[in-house]
Amino acid sequence: MPDQGQSDEGGPPPSGSTVTKDKPAGSHRRADNRMAGWLPSVTVTFASIALALLVGAVLILVSDREVIESFSYFFSYPWDAFRSSASAIGESYKALVTGSVGSGGAITATLERAAPLICAGLAVTLAFRAGLFNIGAQGQLVLGAICAGYVGFHYDLPPVAHVVAALAAGLAGGALWGGLVGLLKARTGAHEVITTIMLNYVGAALLTYLLTKESFQQPGSDNPRSEKVAADATFPELLGVHSGILLALLAAVGVWWLLERSTVGFELRAVGANADAGRTAGMSVAKVYTLAMIVAGLLAGLAGAQQVLGHQDSLTANFGGSIGFDAITVALLGRATPLGTVLAGLLFGALSTGGLAMQASAASTPLALTQVLQALIVLFVAAPALVKAVFRFRESDDGGAVMAKGWNS
Amino acid sequence: MSTATKAPQVDPALQVRDPAETQRRIKMGGTLLLVAALIFYFWWSIDDELVYYLLTGERTRDTEPGELATHPVTLVCGVLVLAASAAAFLGLIRRGAVTLISMLIVGIAFLLCFVIWAYADLDVAFKPWITNPLPGTFAIATPLVLGALAGCLCERAGVINVAIEGQFLAGAFFASVVASLTYSAGAGLLGGIVAGVGISAMLALFSIRYLVNQVVLGVVLVVFAQGLTNFLLDQIPNEPKIKAYLNEPPKLDDIAIPGLSELPFIGEAMFNQTILVYLMYASVVIVTLIMFETRWGLRVRSVGEHPKAADTVGIKVRRIRWQAILFAGVFAGLGGAYYTVGSTGSFDKNASSGNGFIALAAVIMGRWHPLWATFAALFFGFMSSLRDQLTLVNKIPSELLTMTPYLATVIAVAGFVGRVRPPAADGEPYVKS
């Protein structure tokens, strides 16, 4: 059912006519329906990344002083301009690749960066499928981290129980913050976009407030920085990576099962596709909204827990960075599917660790470039018609963008 | 007709009660009772007899502050709210205007008592005076109102605009750059407008032409604008001479409107402001009039509600949407300009610090109507201004106070705004079939 809706909106303008145009050229390929389902969207995704890197290359050139200088005498000695351009782009992108997947340490960093992105991304994905736009992953993540961190550094528990308790506290914290949104939506009709935005700020303020309290600060210190989480409460390491990434993958599988294989998930998708139809079919829309937001909060809470329990970290006012917001882009790039979210999370993890390396490289490309790259990749993936036009792909109906739906839910 | 007039004379035991109505009475009455209890707590806990206030003019050595007797005022407010609670339980507060007005009164009474409580019993040598929260309100609300107007225009035309934050950032950055280059804050406003329209153009191109999901698009444009402005900011070398030309704009001057700016209480706040604030007033009027009184406005609303019907009667759906979005960019760009030439001057990373999302919330809270969205933005501005003021008093930890405007918004949305209905075709690209 959702597929139908997607291809309606996501395809190129006259979606009916493209199918007929496609027929003579590739009718043998249409036999394998499943292939046709995902292959084009994979090519479009890769083409989008390539296109984004191309635009990024232009920005690298603009930001490199040496290149700009060499272009000032372009007409007397053009070769210099080309050489310096090539070296700037080469240096930057080489740093991007080696910094993200080039070494064991880089891969570890990428995976650990990706894990919370995936979890928070799943929080957005799940809510999206229920027809809710969850901008509040950031707040849910912060609450999760507060709870997980507090259990992690304040209590003294036996080894295994400690990490389990801290994790459970983190999940509960996130679920509380997400469930509040769902409950408000279900009971009063308060729009989730408003409440999630506002609760993000409330969560952030709560964290800064708690960090001024004695029990949250390191003893003998007045800094807004909590104690380090106890060693017992951190995730065990596997092959040099903390096992949070494993939890992220498990969570993705769980979300997939919930969405695709369970009754609840069916109700969730049905309400997401058309709340009125769901209500008519006897589903409790209020229950679905509340449940979806609780689970979404749970997932975001997991992301928060990973941030503090991953490496025996302390809570600080901005420990979460912008993971909760990046998660929105991750989920949307992943087309609101669990698998897509995992892949998108890995890509964004790689981009952000690679971005740091790029900044440190000889070309010293600004970190903001990765942000532009991320935006462009998502933009192009969401606009398959544009990418196809640029690369002159043979037209075929692809998976389409994420549910083209408005506020009506 | 006759049965209707006779109805009250029927034995009360036989009257059918709507359970939803009963529930509403209990909820409203209970909430008001809680508010009254809080006010009585303030009344009981305050020791000081007087608090001082100064609502108009500047504080100088000779100014005498106004005096407010704490106990009588809080007591009166408490009784008022208690009465309102009783009225709610008895079902005297009907839906509609009566509810609105009584809630407004209760809200003001509560805030008044809260402020009195916050300013009373302070353990400091010089008692701070309660000052006028309105100047702060307009300062905070100006960009929010402009952003909300942009949101209304886009969404009434059927295109979701999550990218207000992106438009703010682009507007703020380019306003700063243009103002620095030309050394004219007014030219900076134009720069902001151009940037806002630029992001609008991207929004329109990708949503109308390439049919990208508009929520995705909005989020992406915010990230894009963040990345782009940060990137460009990094490109400005840190040498004072060059920086002066690129990111040290002049600020807009305050212009006092003769006569009006002398008004007590509101004069200073509303009519001694920068041109941007006056533009904001004008924008509210212009957008409201255009949207509801002109042919183009009717077309905008029609393509947002039922594009197919609009198309059938010969309205060019895509063209109207393009126009509405580009027009919206003007306001969002102006709103962004507030964050540089309108207030602080030079552009910093994330200058608008998430306020575009608050403007989006104002659009929804205002039910996609420019006037109501303006009120929503002003409400938020008022709460923030009050918060900033109370932060100075130090009675409540400032970290906790930070969250009050956001909490107040959640309460307002959950308690009074409730379910909202967006334009029917909001977010749905129109494809001719």
mmCIF file of all heavy atoms in Angstrom, chain A residues 13 59 63 133 188-189 197 201 209 212 366 371 375 378-379 382-383 386 402-403 406-408, chain B residues 155 160 210 212-213 215 217 220 226 231 235 354 357 368 399 406 414 418 422 424 426 431:
data_model
loop_
_atom_site.group_PDB
_atom_site.id
_atom_site.type_symbol
_atom_site.label_atom_id
_atom_site.label_comp_id
_atom_site.label_asym_id
_atom_site.label_seq_id
_atom_site.Cartn_x
_atom_site.Cartn_y
_atom_site.Cartn_z
ATOM 1 N N PRO A 13 7.169 13.567 -13.321
ATOM 2 C CA PRO A 13 5.815 14.116 -13.397
ATOM 3 C C PRO A 13 4.728 13.197 -13.979
ATOM 4 O O PRO A 13 3.865 12.781 -13.224
ATOM 5 C CB PRO A 13 6.014 15.388 -14.209
ATOM 6 C CG PRO A 13 7.401 15.791 -13.929
ATOM 7 C CD PRO A 13 8.177 14.558 -13.593
ATOM 8 N N LEU A 59 33.232 23.737 -4.223
ATOM 9 C CA LEU A 59 33.386 24.492 -2.976
ATOM 10 C C LEU A 59 34.802 24.374 -2.432
ATOM 11 O O LEU A 59 35.350 25.318 -1.871
ATOM 12 C CB LEU A 59 32.375 23.998 -1.937
ATOM 13 C CG LEU A 59 30.931 24.399 -2.218
ATOM 14 C CD1 LEU A 59 29.998 23.797 -1.186
ATOM 15 C CD2 LEU A 59 30.779 25.908 -2.235
ATOM 16 N N SER A 63 37.399 27.398 -1.620
ATOM 17 C CA SER A 63 37.918 27.641 -0.278
ATOM 18 C C SER A 63 39.431 27.561 -0.223
ATOM 19 O O SER A 63 40.020 27.882 0.799
ATOM 20 C CB SER A 63 37.312 26.636 0.699
ATOM 21 O OG SER A 63 37.903 25.377 0.504
ATOM 22 N N PHE A 133 5.906 13.409 12.396
ATOM 23 C CA PHE A 133 7.198 13.991 12.072
ATOM 24 C C PHE A 133 7.915 14.277 13.387
ATOM 25 O O PHE A 133 7.599 15.226 14.080
ATOM 26 C CB PHE A 133 6.993 15.254 11.256
ATOM 27 C CG PHE A 133 8.269 15.882 10.788
ATOM 28 C CD1 PHE A 133 9.378 15.100 10.500
ATOM 29 C CD2 PHE A 133 8.362 17.239 10.607
ATOM 30 C CE1 PHE A 133 10.555 15.668 10.058
ATOM 31 C CE2 PHE A 133 9.540 17.817 10.176
ATOM 32 C CZ PHE A 133 10.627 17.031 9.895
ATOM 33 N N THR A 188 -4.894 15.505 23.341
ATOM 34 C CA THR A 188 -5.339 16.877 23.109
ATOM 35 C C THR A 188 -5.230 17.311 21.658
ATOM 36 O O THR A 188 -5.703 18.370 21.293
ATOM 37 C CB THR A 188 -4.509 17.868 23.948
ATOM 38 O OG1 THR A 188 -3.184 17.874 23.426
ATOM 39 C CG2 THR A 188 -4.471 17.468 25.396
ATOM 40 N N GLY A 189 -4.573 16.494 20.840
ATOM 41 C CA GLY A 189 -4.407 16.889 19.447
ATOM 42 C C GLY A 189 -3.267 17.854 19.233
ATOM 43 O O GLY A 189 -3.106 18.389 18.149
ATOM 44 N N ILE A 197 9.592 20.107 18.986
ATOM 45 C CA ILE A 197 10.545 21.229 18.949
ATOM 46 C C ILE A 197 10.712 21.804 20.347
ATOM 47 O O ILE A 197 11.829 22.017 20.828
ATOM 48 C CB ILE A 197 10.054 22.338 18.001
ATOM 49 C CG1 ILE A 197 10.114 21.879 16.550
ATOM 50 C CG2 ILE A 197 10.892 23.593 18.165
ATOM 51 C CD1 ILE A 197 9.473 22.846 15.579
ATOM 52 N N TYR A 201 14.072 21.864 23.426
ATOM 53 C CA TYR A 201 14.646 22.952 24.214
ATOM 54 C C TYR A 201 14.530 22.654 25.707
ATOM 55 O O TYR A 201 15.435 22.934 26.485
ATOM 56 C CB TYR A 201 13.935 24.263 23.895
ATOM 57 C CG TYR A 201 14.291 24.832 22.555
ATOM 58 C CD1 TYR A 201 13.476 24.647 21.454
ATOM 59 C CD2 TYR A 201 15.457 25.574 22.386
ATOM 60 C CE1 TYR A 201 13.802 25.180 20.223
ATOM 61 C CE2 TYR A 201 15.789 26.111 21.164
ATOM 62 C CZ TYR A 201 14.953 25.905 20.080
ATOM 63 O OH TYR A 201 15.290 26.434 18.871
ATOM 64 N N TYR A 209 20.530 22.550 33.593
ATOM 65 C CA TYR A 209 20.163 22.763 35.002
ATOM 66 C C TYR A 209 20.771 21.684 35.881
ATOM 67 O O TYR A 209 21.387 21.971 36.906
ATOM 68 C CB TYR A 209 18.642 22.773 35.143
ATOM 69 C CG TYR A 209 18.188 22.745 36.575
ATOM 70 C CD1 TYR A 209 18.428 23.829 37.409
ATOM 71 C CD2 TYR A 209 17.541 21.632 37.096
ATOM 72 C CE1 TYR A 209 18.027 23.819 38.725
ATOM 73 C CE2 TYR A 209 17.139 21.608 38.424
ATOM 74 C CZ TYR A 209 17.386 22.698 39.236
ATOM 75 O OH TYR A 209 17.007 22.681 40.538
ATOM 76 N N THR A 212 24.274 21.926 36.931
ATOM 77 C CA THR A 212 24.676 22.881 37.964
ATOM 78 C C THR A 212 24.492 22.286 39.350
ATOM 79 O O THR A 212 24.871 22.885 40.342
ATOM 80 C CB THR A 212 23.828 24.171 37.901
ATOM 81 O OG1 THR A 212 22.468 23.816 38.152
ATOM 82 C CG2 THR A 212 23.933 24.839 36.553
ATOM 83 N N PRO A 366 37.121 23.362 5.107
ATOM 84 C CA PRO A 366 36.296 23.613 6.300
ATOM 85 C C PRO A 366 35.326 22.466 6.577
ATOM 86 O O PRO A 366 34.821 21.818 5.663
ATOM 87 C CB PRO A 366 35.522 24.876 5.932
ATOM 88 C CG PRO A 366 36.162 25.429 4.749
ATOM 89 C CD PRO A 366 36.972 24.380 4.094
ATOM 90 N N GLN A 371 28.703 19.263 5.903
ATOM 91 C CA GLN A 371 27.292 19.573 6.103
ATOM 92 C C GLN A 371 26.612 19.840 4.751
ATOM 93 O O GLN A 371 25.518 19.347 4.481
ATOM 94 C CB GLN A 371 27.189 20.803 6.992
ATOM 95 C CG GLN A 371 26.140 20.691 8.055
ATOM 96 C CD GLN A 371 26.177 21.879 8.991
ATOM 97 O OE1 GLN A 371 27.027 22.762 8.898
ATOM 98 N NE2 GLN A 371 25.234 21.899 9.897
ATOM 99 N N ALA A 375 23.641 17.613 2.975
ATOM 100 C CA ALA A 375 22.386 18.200 2.497
ATOM 101 C C ALA A 375 22.181 17.885 1.026
ATOM 102 O O ALA A 375 21.088 17.491 0.593
ATOM 103 C CB ALA A 375 22.397 19.706 2.717
ATOM 104 N N VAL A 378 21.187 14.184 0.294
ATOM 105 C CA VAL A 378 19.778 13.908 0.590
ATOM 106 C C VAL A 378 18.879 14.592 -0.436
ATOM 107 O O VAL A 378 17.896 14.019 -0.910
ATOM 108 C CB VAL A 378 19.409 14.372 2.013
ATOM 109 C CG1 VAL A 378 17.978 14.018 2.324
ATOM 110 C CG2 VAL A 378 20.318 13.737 3.023
ATOM 111 N N LEU A 379 19.242 15.814 -0.764
ATOM 112 C CA LEU A 379 18.426 16.565 -1.721
ATOM 113 C C LEU A 379 18.351 15.827 -3.057
ATOM 114 O O LEU A 379 17.278 15.651 -3.635
ATOM 115 C CB LEU A 379 19.037 17.955 -1.912
ATOM 116 C CG LEU A 379 18.226 18.944 -2.728
ATOM 117 C CD1 LEU A 379 16.890 19.175 -2.073
ATOM 118 C CD2 LEU A 379 18.966 20.263 -2.844
ATOM 119 N N ALA A 382 16.411 12.632 -2.909
ATOM 120 C CA ALA A 382 14.976 12.882 -2.837
ATOM 121 C C ALA A 382 14.424 13.424 -4.150
ATOM 122 O O ALA A 382 13.223 13.480 -4.343
ATOM 123 C CB ALA A 382 14.673 13.853 -1.705
ATOM 124 N N ALA A 383 15.295 13.832 -5.034
ATOM 125 C CA ALA A 383 14.834 14.360 -6.319
ATOM 126 C C ALA A 383 15.360 13.498 -7.454
ATOM 127 O O ALA A 383 16.202 13.932 -8.228
ATOM 128 C CB ALA A 383 15.292 15.809 -6.488
ATOM 129 N N LEU A 386 15.686 14.876 -10.978
ATOM 130 C CA LEU A 386 16.793 15.778 -11.285
ATOM 131 C C LEU A 386 18.053 14.991 -11.631
ATOM 132 O O LEU A 386 18.714 15.248 -12.634
ATOM 133 C CB LEU A 386 17.062 16.681 -10.082
ATOM 134 C CG LEU A 386 18.293 17.570 -10.193
ATOM 135 C CD1 LEU A 386 18.035 18.711 -11.151
ATOM 136 C CD2 LEU A 386 18.697 18.109 -8.834
ATOM 137 N N VAL A 402 10.535 9.463 0.142
ATOM 138 C CA VAL A 402 9.796 9.075 1.336
ATOM 139 C C VAL A 402 8.382 9.620 1.217
ATOM 140 O O VAL A 402 8.177 10.690 0.680
ATOM 141 C CB VAL A 402 10.431 9.721 2.574
ATOM 142 C CG1 VAL A 402 10.021 8.959 3.804
ATOM 143 C CG2 VAL A 402 11.903 9.813 2.438
ATOM 144 N N MET A 403 7.474 8.838 1.766
ATOM 145 C CA MET A 403 6.067 9.218 1.771
ATOM 146 C C MET A 403 5.841 10.712 1.556
ATOM 147 O O MET A 403 6.129 11.513 2.424
ATOM 148 C CB MET A 403 5.463 8.879 3.134
ATOM 149 C CG MET A 403 5.828 7.523 3.634
ATOM 150 S SD MET A 403 5.573 7.439 5.384
ATOM 151 C CE MET A 403 3.792 7.361 5.398
ATOM 152 N N GLY A 406 1.790 15.406 3.906
ATOM 153 C CA GLY A 406 1.913 16.676 4.590
ATOM 154 C C GLY A 406 1.688 16.551 6.069
ATOM 155 O O GLY A 406 1.961 15.518 6.675
ATOM 156 N N TRP A 407 1.161 17.611 6.619
ATOM 157 C CA TRP A 407 0.855 17.631 8.048
ATOM 158 C C TRP A 407 -0.376 16.784 8.338
ATOM 159 O O TRP A 407 -0.679 16.504 9.471
ATOM 160 C CB TRP A 407 0.559 19.034 8.524
ATOM 161 C CG TRP A 407 1.656 20.021 8.388
ATOM 162 C CD1 TRP A 407 1.537 21.292 7.931
ATOM 163 C CD2 TRP A 407 3.026 19.875 8.741
ATOM 164 N NE1 TRP A 407 2.732 21.925 7.989
ATOM 165 C CE2 TRP A 407 3.658 21.084 8.465
ATOM 166 C CE3 TRP A 407 3.775 18.812 9.262
ATOM 167 C CZ2 TRP A 407 5.013 21.272 8.705
ATOM 168 C CZ3 TRP A 407 5.112 19.007 9.475
ATOM 169 C CH2 TRP A 407 5.715 20.220 9.197
ATOM 170 N N ASN A 408 -1.143 16.482 7.289
ATOM 171 C CA ASN A 408 -2.399 15.774 7.528
ATOM 172 C C ASN A 408 -2.124 14.373 7.985
ATOM 173 O O ASN A 408 -1.809 13.499 7.192
ATOM 174 C CB ASN A 408 -3.214 15.705 6.241
ATOM 175 C CG ASN A 408 -3.671 17.073 5.832
ATOM 176 O OD1 ASN A 408 -4.323 17.761 6.593
ATOM 177 N ND2 ASN A 408 -3.303 17.482 4.627
ATOM 178 N N GLU B 155 2.377 27.557 3.124
ATOM 179 C CA GLU B 155 1.540 26.409 3.445
ATOM 180 C C GLU B 155 0.112 26.633 2.980
ATOM 181 O O GLU B 155 -0.591 25.689 2.646
ATOM 182 C CB GLU B 155 1.629 26.106 4.936
ATOM 183 C CG GLU B 155 3.076 25.890 5.339
ATOM 184 C CD GLU B 155 3.269 24.912 6.476
ATOM 185 O OE1 GLU B 155 2.274 24.386 6.982
ATOM 186 O OE2 GLU B 155 4.429 24.672 6.824
ATOM 187 N N ILE B 160 4.621 22.785 2.184
ATOM 188 C CA ILE B 160 5.111 22.853 3.558
ATOM 189 C C ILE B 160 6.457 23.553 3.579
ATOM 190 O O ILE B 160 7.324 23.256 2.765
ATOM 191 C CB ILE B 160 5.249 21.437 4.143
ATOM 192 C CG1 ILE B 160 3.872 20.822 4.319
ATOM 193 C CG2 ILE B 160 5.987 21.469 5.458
ATOM 194 C CD1 ILE B 160 3.910 19.409 4.823
ATOM 195 N N TYR B 210 10.467 19.101 -9.053
ATOM 196 C CA TYR B 210 11.012 17.754 -8.877
ATOM 197 C C TYR B 210 10.243 16.935 -7.857
ATOM 198 O O TYR B 210 10.648 15.837 -7.505
ATOM 199 C CB TYR B 210 12.493 17.828 -8.523
ATOM 200 C CG TYR B 210 13.317 18.335 -9.671
ATOM 201 C CD1 TYR B 210 13.955 19.551 -9.615
ATOM 202 C CD2 TYR B 210 13.408 17.592 -10.853
ATOM 203 C CE1 TYR B 210 14.687 20.026 -10.684
ATOM 204 C CE2 TYR B 210 14.131 18.059 -11.928
ATOM 205 C CZ TYR B 210 14.770 19.278 -11.838
ATOM 206 O OH TYR B 210 15.483 19.730 -12.904
ATOM 207 N N VAL B 212 9.852 16.727 -4.742
ATOM 208 C CA VAL B 212 10.503 16.173 -3.561
ATOM 209 C C VAL B 212 9.552 16.300 -2.364
ATOM 210 O O VAL B 212 8.836 17.298 -2.251
ATOM 211 C CB VAL B 212 11.805 16.941 -3.272
ATOM 212 C CG1 VAL B 212 12.435 16.471 -1.981
ATOM 213 C CG2 VAL B 212 12.764 16.777 -4.418
ATOM 214 N N ASN B 213 9.546 15.302 -1.533
ATOM 215 C CA ASN B 213 8.771 15.386 -0.301
ATOM 216 C C ASN B 213 9.162 16.657 0.444
ATOM 217 O O ASN B 213 10.331 16.920 0.696
ATOM 218 C CB ASN B 213 9.072 14.155 0.564
ATOM 219 C CG ASN B 213 8.402 14.222 1.913
ATOM 220 O OD1 ASN B 213 8.422 15.257 2.569
ATOM 221 N ND2 ASN B 213 7.800 13.146 2.319
ATOM 222 N N VAL B 215 8.668 17.870 3.484
ATOM 223 C CA VAL B 215 9.253 17.853 4.831
ATOM 224 C C VAL B 215 10.745 17.555 4.713
ATOM 225 O O VAL B 215 11.593 18.223 5.308
ATOM 226 C CB VAL B 215 8.551 16.816 5.716
ATOM 227 C CG1 VAL B 215 9.261 16.710 7.052
ATOM 228 C CG2 VAL B 215 7.105 17.202 5.930
ATOM 229 N N LEU B 217 12.581 18.047 2.130
ATOM 230 C CA LEU B 217 13.193 19.187 1.474
ATOM 231 C C LEU B 217 13.485 20.303 2.468
ATOM 232 O O LEU B 217 14.577 20.874 2.472
ATOM 233 C CB LEU B 217 12.230 19.672 0.381
ATOM 234 C CG LEU B 217 12.685 20.856 -0.445
ATOM 235 C CD1 LEU B 217 13.984 20.524 -1.137
ATOM 236 C CD2 LEU B 217 11.620 21.200 -1.462
ATOM 237 N N VAL B 220 16.351 19.421 4.670
ATOM 238 C CA VAL B 220 17.585 19.462 3.905
ATOM 239 C C VAL B 220 18.020 20.900 3.644
ATOM 240 O O VAL B 220 19.199 21.231 3.755
ATOM 241 C CB VAL B 220 17.391 18.712 2.575
ATOM 242 C CG1 VAL B 220 18.511 19.017 1.633
ATOM 243 C CG2 VAL B 220 17.297 17.237 2.829
ATOM 244 N N GLN B 226 22.664 26.003 6.742
ATOM 245 C CA GLN B 226 23.636 25.989 7.846
ATOM 246 C C GLN B 226 25.036 25.768 7.296
ATOM 247 O O GLN B 226 25.966 26.517 7.599
ATOM 248 C CB GLN B 226 23.322 24.856 8.812
ATOM 249 C CG GLN B 226 22.353 25.232 9.906
ATOM 250 C CD GLN B 226 21.938 24.011 10.714
ATOM 251 O OE1 GLN B 226 22.313 22.888 10.383
ATOM 252 N NE2 GLN B 226 21.165 24.238 11.746
ATOM 253 N N PHE B 231 30.222 27.638 5.934
ATOM 254 C CA PHE B 231 31.320 27.515 4.983
ATOM 255 C C PHE B 231 31.775 28.892 4.519
ATOM 256 O O PHE B 231 32.961 29.214 4.536
ATOM 257 C CB PHE B 231 30.855 26.675 3.791
ATOM 258 C CG PHE B 231 31.887 26.491 2.730
ATOM 259 C CD1 PHE B 231 32.854 25.524 2.880
ATOM 260 C CD2 PHE B 231 31.885 27.267 1.594
ATOM 261 C CE1 PHE B 231 33.814 25.343 1.912
ATOM 262 C CE2 PHE B 231 32.832 27.090 0.623
ATOM 263 C CZ PHE B 231 33.808 26.125 0.778
ATOM 264 N N GLN B 235 35.239 31.316 5.056
ATOM 265 C CA GLN B 235 36.032 31.872 3.963
ATOM 266 C C GLN B 235 36.428 33.317 4.210
ATOM 267 O O GLN B 235 37.305 33.839 3.538
ATOM 268 C CB GLN B 235 35.242 31.788 2.644
ATOM 269 C CG GLN B 235 34.908 30.379 2.223
ATOM 270 C CD GLN B 235 36.093 29.469 2.333
ATOM 271 O OE1 GLN B 235 37.154 29.752 1.797
ATOM 272 N NE2 GLN B 235 35.934 28.380 3.072
ATOM 273 N N GLY B 354 17.928 28.247 15.810
ATOM 274 C CA GLY B 354 16.727 27.400 15.886
ATOM 275 C C GLY B 354 15.412 28.156 15.919
ATOM 276 O O GLY B 354 14.357 27.547 16.032
ATOM 277 N N PHE B 357 12.474 27.243 13.607
ATOM 278 C CA PHE B 357 11.574 26.157 13.976
ATOM 279 C C PHE B 357 10.478 26.668 14.906
ATOM 280 O O PHE B 357 9.357 26.170 14.887
ATOM 281 C CB PHE B 357 12.352 25.016 14.627
ATOM 282 C CG PHE B 357 13.194 24.267 13.647
ATOM 283 C CD1 PHE B 357 14.557 24.425 13.607
ATOM 284 C CD2 PHE B 357 12.601 23.411 12.722
ATOM 285 C CE1 PHE B 357 15.330 23.751 12.681
ATOM 286 C CE2 PHE B 357 13.363 22.730 11.800
ATOM 287 C CZ PHE B 357 14.727 22.896 11.782
ATOM 288 N N TRP B 368 -2.375 28.283 10.721
ATOM 289 C CA TRP B 368 -2.101 28.688 9.341
ATOM 290 C C TRP B 368 -2.788 30.007 8.980
ATOM 291 O O TRP B 368 -3.069 30.265 7.828
ATOM 292 C CB TRP B 368 -2.519 27.583 8.362
ATOM 293 C CG TRP B 368 -1.621 26.400 8.449
ATOM 294 C CD1 TRP B 368 -0.496 26.207 7.693
ATOM 295 C CD2 TRP B 368 -1.703 25.270 9.315
ATOM 296 N NE1 TRP B 368 0.111 25.031 8.039
ATOM 297 C CE2 TRP B 368 -0.610 24.429 9.028
ATOM 298 C CE3 TRP B 368 -2.596 24.879 10.299
ATOM 299 C CZ2 TRP B 368 -0.391 23.218 9.677
ATOM 300 C CZ3 TRP B 368 -2.386 23.688 10.957
ATOM 301 C CH2 TRP B 368 -1.301 22.880 10.650
ATOM 302 N N GLU B 399 18.809 28.293 34.702
ATOM 303 C CA GLU B 399 18.774 27.143 33.793
ATOM 304 C C GLU B 399 17.370 26.572 33.699
ATOM 305 O O GLU B 399 16.953 26.083 32.659
ATOM 306 C CB GLU B 399 19.734 26.044 34.257
ATOM 307 C CG GLU B 399 21.202 26.420 34.186
ATOM 308 C CD GLU B 399 21.641 27.204 35.408
ATOM 309 O OE1 GLU B 399 20.842 27.336 36.347
ATOM 310 O OE2 GLU B 399 22.777 27.710 35.404
ATOM 311 N N TYR B 406 9.191 27.538 26.306
ATOM 312 C CA TYR B 406 8.914 26.315 25.551
ATOM 313 C C TYR B 406 7.817 25.510 26.236
ATOM 314 O O TYR B 406 6.892 25.002 25.589
ATOM 315 C CB TYR B 406 10.196 25.496 25.410
ATOM 316 C CG TYR B 406 11.348 26.334 24.920
ATOM 317 C CD1 TYR B 406 12.407 26.672 25.743
ATOM 318 C CD2 TYR B 406 11.338 26.848 23.625
ATOM 319 C CE1 TYR B 406 13.435 27.473 25.305
ATOM 320 C CE2 TYR B 406 12.366 27.657 23.181
ATOM 321 C CZ TYR B 406 13.409 27.961 24.019
ATOM 322 O OH TYR B 406 14.420 28.765 23.580
ATOM 323 N N ALA B 414 -1.340 22.311 23.969
ATOM 324 C CA ALA B 414 -2.105 21.153 24.425
ATOM 325 C C ALA B 414 -3.420 21.582 25.058
ATOM 326 O O ALA B 414 -4.445 20.918 24.902
ATOM 327 C CB ALA B 414 -1.275 20.354 25.430
ATOM 328 N N GLY B 418 -5.132 22.793 20.693
ATOM 329 C CA GLY B 418 -5.668 21.473 20.382
ATOM 330 C C GLY B 418 -5.466 21.079 18.933
ATOM 331 O O GLY B 418 -4.500 21.468 18.300
ATOM 332 N N PRO B 422 -4.664 21.563 8.918
ATOM 333 C CA PRO B 422 -3.864 22.271 7.928
ATOM 334 C C PRO B 422 -4.631 22.416 6.616
ATOM 335 O O PRO B 422 -5.639 21.737 6.415
ATOM 336 C CB PRO B 422 -2.650 21.362 7.749
ATOM 337 C CG PRO B 422 -3.105 20.017 8.152
ATOM 338 C CD PRO B 422 -4.185 20.208 9.160
ATOM 339 N N ALA B 424 -5.854 21.633 3.113
ATOM 340 C CA ALA B 424 -6.076 20.237 2.724
ATOM 341 C C ALA B 424 -4.978 19.675 1.834
ATOM 342 O O ALA B 424 -4.644 18.500 1.924
ATOM 343 C CB ALA B 424 -7.424 20.103 2.045
ATOM 344 N N ASP B 426 -1.858 20.666 1.758
ATOM 345 C CA ASP B 426 -0.543 21.042 2.267
ATOM 346 C C ASP B 426 0.416 19.870 2.146
ATOM 347 O O ASP B 426 0.163 18.799 2.688
ATOM 348 C CB ASP B 426 -0.672 21.466 3.730
ATOM 349 C CG ASP B 426 0.451 22.386 4.142
ATOM 350 O OD1 ASP B 426 1.253 22.755 3.265
ATOM 351 O OD2 ASP B 426 0.523 22.737 5.324
ATOM 352 N N VAL B 431 0.275 17.187 -9.568
ATOM 353 C CA VAL B 431 0.667 16.635 -10.860
ATOM 354 C C VAL B 431 -0.569 16.558 -11.719
ATOM 355 O O VAL B 431 -1.556 15.925 -11.360
ATOM 356 C CB VAL B 431 1.274 15.221 -10.703
ATOM 357 C CG1 VAL B 431 1.716 14.699 -12.047
ATOM 358 C CG2 VAL B 431 2.421 15.252 -9.730
#
